[in-house]
Amino acid sequence: MNTLKKFHKIFKVTNHTQHVGPKSLFYVFNSGKNNKNYIEEAYKKGARGFFFRKEDIPNAKELKSKLPEAMFFEVNSNKPIFNMFAEHCAKTYGYPAKKIVVIGITGTKGKSSTAIIMSVYLKNFGYKVAMMSSAFHCINNDLFEAQLTTEKADYIHAFLSEALQKGVTHAIIEVSAQALSLSRMYGIAFDLIIFTNFYPDHLEFFGSDKNYFEAKTKIFENIKKNGTILYPSLDKKVSKFIKNFSKKNSFGIKYVPIDNSETNQRKFEITAKSIDGLSIKINNIASNMEYFLKTKLYGTHNAENIFVSYLAICNLLKNTLPNQWTKCFENFSNFSFIPGRGERYTTENNIKIYIDNVHNPLPFENILSDLKDQSEHLLVIFGCGGDRDYRRRKELAQIAEKYAREIFITEDNPRNESLENITENILSGFSKIDNVHIINDRILAIGKAMKLAKSNSIVALLGRGNSNLTIRGINQVDYGSDLEIIRSLGYNVTPVETTV
């Protein structure tokens, strides 16, 4: 994969001091003791216009006298300031989202992979593409680091503006429920929306599954009047919502079910599966066409992502020809893996390494089920993040016990929660712990697993993907990614070739 760069840090409008430069406009969002410090820091970096609510800066007069060149604009407290901020960002950059085709992808799992696969398809069809996912961002062939699942409004509009300047015609945005609840998508109208799936998650942020679902479905408020919505028709909860939504929004909007059943006009079949990749047949009954593709991507879940991306492109590009799809799929066969998602390596003595950032029970089980089919000696290393949905912990343990020969419970971003409490929650999911190793130090846990592995074993390192940082309290500790740890332990590993 090409080296990831940082997207430029200075924005015309921002709410974070690290993005302030000369003549930046600065928004203050929350009431707090540090707002005065943030404003003074932004002023030192060159900001001169400050937007705030009265409750956020009660001492505005004092600041005005202290910062003589600053201009303060008190905004209406009755209006959502996140919306005002997003609108201001869009206007400052000339509403770039209105000048390109914009695709929004949300759901509990599969967002990043679907976004990346769609970007590859569109590039294969000859389009210039920008993409923002939690794995990485791109403008054509330039790759950038991702900081958040969905970036803030200042970043989004600066990014789309630069993409437009570089000739981009299509932009794909991974959209989180948090971003929707914080109005980061405010003012962006989508030509196409993909709702991949819905599973309970993020209790720590939303407080209930009901709130989480309501936040997810806010994305449909941003569909264009002639836009297209792809939704998981076999999910009763989502289908019921779409049915009610379509009654109120029937004119011009096209609703496309994601359904791989026999009755669907487009469906897929996995014809071969191994640790090295997949062979897939896609059947388009309407045009009486069958497409065969081989991919180095791994697992049933990626076959689903490939198929959903195909459905989306078919509805986005109305006039694609069968020979174009044949060529597209031929080119796609060279695409090998998505950073931090299903990375695979082999050691000199034929130990298989599988690395993924998975932390949700359903994809966790899908991955381990597929891996168990490939080896009778599956070793699983995982932990759970602190200050996150505690319900996952017991479920992940139950799933690991179902498929793994050896299980290693270790650290994975404890944040402000004690590692002992996280581990206790995980252990509550096991019916027996004979094959469960509790090793808090992730380096030691990986080392122990590698020593127990043998030829044809699979060692699955789950939860961190390609991240090299561990969050402990307010500190971020860098002791290397899981792959870097394996190499530091003296193992020579050969990766699946990547062409991202």
Side-chain angles (χ1 to χ4, degrees):
M1 181 174 176
N2 297 335
T3 303
L4 297 179
K5 300 180 288 187
K6 290 185 181 296
F7 189 66
H8 60 74
K9 283 193 171 183
I10 305 304
F11 299 142
K12 296 177 182 179
V13 183
T14 187
N15 76 313
H16 200 297
T17 54
Q18 73 177 14
H19 299 308
V20 172
K23 299 183 179 180
S24 290
L25 302 177
F26 189 75
Y27 269 74
V28 177
F29 277 177
N30 58 309
S31 55
K33 296 180 181 178
N34 291 326
N35 283 343
K36 176 176 173 290
N37 296 337
Y38 294 148
I39 290 171
E40 290 177 352
E41 184 180 350
Y43 184 83
K44 288 178 182 177
K45 290 186 173 184
R48 291 298 179 262
F50 298 88
F51 295 79
F52 67 100
R53 295 172 297 187
K54 187 174 183 179
E55 62 267 29
D56 294 334
I57 312 181
N59 59 341
K61 288 184 179 179
E62 177 189 333
L63 282 170
K64 286 178 184 177
S65 61
K66 191 173 182 180
L67 310 174
E69 295 179 21
M71 298 179 67
F72 289 86
F73 303 92
E74 184 177 329
V75 300
N76 189 337
S77 296
N78 295 323
K79 294 183 179 180
I81 196 165
F82 290 114
N83 294 19
M84 296 172 64
F85 176 65
E87 172 66 21
H88 200 160
C89 292
K91 183 178 181 181
T92 300
Y93 285 101
Y95 298 100
K98 293 183 178 181
K99 300 170 185 176
I100 51 181
V101 176
V102 185
I103 299 114
I105 303 175
T106 196
T108 306
K109 68 181 185 72
K111 300 185 296 295
S112 293
S113 298
T114 302
I116 294 167
I117 292 167
M118 274 198 73
S119 72
V120 175
Y121 284 173
L122 285 168
K123 288 176 182 177
N124 286 345
F125 276 104
Y127 293 96
K128 293 188 174 182
V129 182
M131 187 274 302
M132 285 182 271
S133 76
S134 57
F136 64 91
H137 301 167
C138 75
I139 297 177
N140 297 321
N141 294 323
D142 292 328
L143 306 183
F144 303 94
E145 295 177 357
Q147 301 300 319
L148 301 169
T149 301
T150 307
E151 304 291 349
K152 296 180 181 180
D154 49 3
Y155 185 110
I156 291 170
H157 292 285
F159 189 85
L160 293 178
S161 175
E162 184 160 322
L164 193 64
Q165 293 171 31
K166 293 186 176 180
V168 163
T169 55
H170 293 70
I172 304 165
I173 304 175
E174 178 181 346
V175 183
S176 68
Q178 288 95 329
L180 290 163
S181 65
L182 296 172
S183 299
R184 293 177 190 169
M185 294 295 106
Y186 182 80
I188 294 179
F190 295 109
D191 295 87
L192 184 140
I193 290 172
I194 303 173
F195 195 109
T196 59
N197 44 60
F198 178 81
Y199 301 99
D201 204 355
H202 298 298
L203 188 65
E204 79 288 344
F205 186 90
F206 293 101
S208 71
D209 296 333
K210 179 177 180 291
N211 292 341
Y212 177 47
F213 183 76
E214 288 175 354
K216 279 287 184 194
T217 53
K218 280 183 180 180
I219 194 171
F220 297 121
E221 298 171 7
N222 293 46
I223 190 68
K224 287 185 177 178
K225 291 182 178 179
N226 62 342
T228 300
I229 292 173
L230 274 69
Y231 68 98
S233 55
L234 299 182
D235 185 310
K236 292 181 180 179
K237 190 179 184 72
V238 178
S239 289
K240 182 179 179 180
F241 178 90
I242 290 293
K243 184 178 180 180
N244 293 331
F245 182 85
S246 64
K247 288 178 181 177
K248 302 173 186 177
N249 302 273
S250 59
F251 183 76
I253 299 175
K254 184 178 180 181
Y255 298 88
V256 179
I258 300 171
D259 176 6
N260 194 41
S261 67
E262 290 296 321
T263 58
N264 200 16
Q265 289 294 297
R266 296 185 178 97
K267 55 188 178 180
F268 77 93
E269 175 187 350
I270 298 174
T271 57
K273 177 171 61 174
S274 77
I275 192 71
D276 297 319
L278 300 165
S279 293
I280 303 169
K281 179 176 76 172
I282 293 178
N283 192 355
N284 188 331
I285 298 170
S287 62
N288 195 30
M289 286 296 301
E290 288 185 341
Y291 303 103
F292 297 88
L293 69 145
K294 292 184 177 181
T295 174
K296 294 175 184 175
L297 295 181
Y298 176 76
T300 304
H301 58 291
N302 270 320
E304 294 169 356
N305 297 332
I306 287 167
F307 176 65
V308 169
S309 299
Y310 166 74
L311 284 181
I313 297 294
C314 285
N315 283 278
L316 189 67
L317 308 178
K318 302 291 193 296
N319 299 315
T320 55
L321 300 173
N323 65 318
Q324 290 177 297
W325 272 112
T326 300
K327 185 67 175 175
C328 175
F329 288 140
E330 285 176 359
N331 292 336
F332 187 75
S333 66
N334 294 318
F335 180 79
S336 40
F337 68 75
I338 295 164
R341 277 93 172 149
E343 295 186 21
R344 283 147 293 144
Y345 303 86
T346 304
T347 67
E348 291 175 327
N349 58 338
N350 203 35
I351 298 171
K352 308 290 185 181
I353 311 295
Y354 183 94
I355 298 175
D356 201 289
N357 78 332
V358 63
H359 50 259
N360 184 276
L362 185 71
F364 194 86
E365 177 151 25
N366 288 343
I367 287 169
L368 292 189
S369 174
D370 282 337
L371 292 175
K372 183 65 165 58
D373 288 342
Q374 306 303 318
S375 174
E376 287 298 317
H377 197 246
L378 174 61
L379 302 93
V380 176
I381 303 168
F382 78 99
C384 291
D387 304 327
R388 294 295 183 266
D389 196 333
Y390 67 90
R391 297 172 300 178
R392 299 175 185 166
R393 299 169 184 176
K394 184 176 181 178
E395 291 181 68
L396 296 183
Q398 292 169 338
I399 294 165
E401 182 177 66
K402 184 177 176 182
Y403 297 102
R405 181 71 66 86
E406 302 286 343
I407 301 166
F408 300 82
I409 307 303
T410 191
E411 181 182 42
D412 183 354
N413 294 328
R415 298 183 177 87
N416 296 304
E417 189 174 354
S418 75
L419 194 54
E420 291 75 16
N421 186 62
I422 296 169
T423 301
E424 185 178 331
N425 288 164
I426 296 171
L427 290 175
S428 69
F430 294 112
S431 63
K432 57 183 179 64
I433 57 171
D434 298 349
N435 62 338
V436 178
H437 309 262
I438 303 168
I439 305 175
N440 291 340
D441 187 307
R442 197 172 182 97
I443 296 174
L444 296 179
I446 292 172
K448 176 73 170 178
M450 292 300 293
K451 285 181 180 178
L452 291 179
K454 53 191 178 183
S455 179
N456 295 317
S457 294
I458 296 178
V459 178
L461 300 99
L462 306 180
R464 294 181 75 232
N466 60 345
S467 173
N468 62 322
L469 298 176
T470 294
I471 305 171
R472 298 174 184 154
I474 61 172
N475 300 312
Q476 292 189 347
V477 183
D478 183 351
Y479 57 72
S481 67
D482 287 347
L483 176 61
E484 288 169 342
I485 291 170
I486 289 173
R487 285 176 168 156
S488 72
L489 292 171
Y491 294 93
N492 294 319
V493 294
T494 304
V496 176
E497 183 184 355
T498 177
T499 57
V500 174

